[in-house]
Amino acid sequence: MNYDEFAAAEKSGWSEDARVDAYVDLFAPVSDQLIAPLASAVGAAPGKAVLDLCCGHGNASEALVEMGATVTGLDFSPAMLARARLRVPKATFVEADASRMPFEDNRFDAVVCNVGFGHLPDADAVLREIARVLRPGGIAGLTSWREPEVSPTFQILFGAVKTYGDPTLAPPAPEFHLFSKRADAKKALAAAGFTNPTFTDIDAAFLFSDPGGFAEVFENASVRAAMLIRSQEPSARNAIRDAMTSRVQKDFGAGDGVWRVPFPATLVTASV
């Protein structure tokens, strides 16, 4: 299937300073919750060369540097990289395509990618590149948000779109939950040359002081979900927003004026 329109939208969307800032403020706090187990799983430590793939604004890079690793971050978004360079001056950051990395073979001891594969149009090509740049015995650590069947976050989002809009309006996009679907993940990893995959589920959650914050995340701090919402008629967009807010307010109050919406993820590690 052709994902060119999706790829162009991702590239364009993540070049917008306002969207990047919204991501850092609204979405990153939940992806931050995956970083400690991810960095630990790949053995980040002094003397280790680690690639942070789809590094974004450098949140994982920062943790890897703090563990003593020598860190290179790669992303396609100049706006994200500008923030990463300010945040983590001890890391090296490169603007490039993850499916055509500008690194020699056997460069890194480990590669991490924190929920980045959902932004990439060709996961198989990227997995082959990760295998190429890893040294023999090197390890990849990759996280993915879990599928709607087990994710309250996606149940709220896609349930509202299905009820009040048309879920087919956004351009075709690649699999968003590759590493949480274990049979598919094992097949893709094996095809790229990886062995011994190990899967760990991670509990994560959004925390909101206002239940309307849930809709704001997906409208303003994402590209893929925002494309789906923006593609709807105005009346449908309003209904979708209202439905998401109502569901969060009704079902996910955690007390003390906080709404907690679970957003589980899966971490897979595999070696070459």
Side-chain angles (χ1 to χ4, degrees), residues 154-168 228-229 232-233 235-244 246-247:
F154 286 127
Q155 290 166 14
I156 296 168
L157 172 63
F158 296 124
V161 172
K162 183 177 180 180
T163 300
Y164 297 102
D166 182 349
T168 69
L228 178 59
I229 295 169
Q232 310 298 324
E233 294 292 330
S235 59
R237 289 199 299 271
N238 291 333
I240 289 165
R241 184 184 305 113
D242 290 346
M244 289 193 289
S246 176
R247 175 77 190 281

Side-chain angles (χ1 to χ4, degrees), residues 26-31 33 145 153 204-208 213-214 217-218 252 258-263:
L26 303 175
F27 211 124
V30 72
S31 64
Q33 296 167 39
W145 301 118
T153 285
F206 286 109
L207 298 175
F208 300 106
F214 183 90
V217 167
F218 291 100
F252 293 94
V258 174
W259 284 265
R260 182 184 188 277
V261 184
F263 198 18

Side-chain angles (χ1 to χ4, degrees), residues 7-270:
E10 284 280 327
K11 181 76 171 176
S12 174
W14 293 119
S15 70
E16 300 171 6
D17 284 323
R19 189 172 304 277
V20 169
D21 286 338
Y23 175 87
V24 173
D25 291 341
L26 303 175
F27 211 124
V30 72
S31 64
D32 286 348
Q33 296 167 39
L34 314 183
I35 291 172
L38 175 60
S40 177
V42 300
K48 297 289 187 180
V50 182
L51 173 63
D52 181 10
L53 188 62
C54 305
C55 64
H57 65 296
N59 50 348
S61 295
E62 182 178 53
L64 294 163
V65 165
E66 289 174 351
M67 295 174 74
T70 300
V71 178
T72 301
L74 182 148
D75 204 282
F76 62 48
S77 166
M80 284 288 193
L81 289 170
R83 289 153 179 80
R85 292 184 178 109
L86 288 173
R87 180 172 182 156
V88 198
K90 292 184 178 180
T92 299
F93 292 100
V94 177
E95 181 184 343
D97 183 339
S99 66
R100 294 188 296 274
M101 297 187 211
F103 307 123
E104 66 272 18
D105 295 356
N106 308 325
R107 167 78 176 272
F108 299 102
D109 298 297
V111 175
V112 302
C113 186
N114 191 29
V115 292
F117 268 73
H119 306 289
L120 303 174
D122 191 344
D124 292 335
V126 176
L127 286 172
R128 290 193 297 269
E129 278 290 271
I130 294 173
R132 180 184 68 79
V133 302
L134 277 170
R135 293 169 182 159
I139 186 170
L142 315 166
T143 58
S144 173
W145 301 118
R146 294 211 63 190
E147 59 274 25
E149 290 79 3
V150 296
S151 174
T153 285
F154 286 127
Q155 290 166 14
I156 296 168
L157 172 63
F158 296 124
V161 172
K162 183 177 180 180
T163 300
Y164 297 102
D166 182 349
T168 69
L169 292 181
E175 173 59 61
F176 194 68
H177 309 285
L178 174 60
F179 302 117
S180 66
K181 295 183 175 180
R182 300 189 181 193
D184 293 343
K186 288 177 181 179
K187 183 178 178 180
L189 289 163
F194 288 93
T195 61
N196 303 317
T198 299
F199 297 85
T200 305
D201 291 331
I202 303 173
D203 290 326
F206 286 109
L207 298 175
F208 300 106
S209 59
D210 178 345
F214 183 90
E216 185 181 0
V217 167
F218 291 100
E219 287 185 297
N220 299 324
S222 72
V223 169
R224 189 169 179 155
M227 280 193 291
L228 178 59
I229 295 169
R230 284 199 311 268
S231 67
Q232 310 298 324
E233 294 292 330
S235 59
R237 289 199 299 271
N238 291 333
I240 289 165
R241 184 184 305 113
D242 290 346
M244 289 193 289
T245 300
S246 176
R247 175 77 190 281
V248 171
Q249 186 166 25
K250 177 177 179 290
D251 294 339
F252 293 94
D256 298 325
V258 174
W259 284 265
R260 182 184 188 277
V261 184
F263 198 18
T266 294
L267 162 65
V268 59
T269 59

Side-chain angles (χ1 to χ4, degrees), residues 1-7 121 171-174:
M1 185 172 290
N2 187 306
Y3 297 129
D4 289 349
E5 186 179 355
F6 162 82

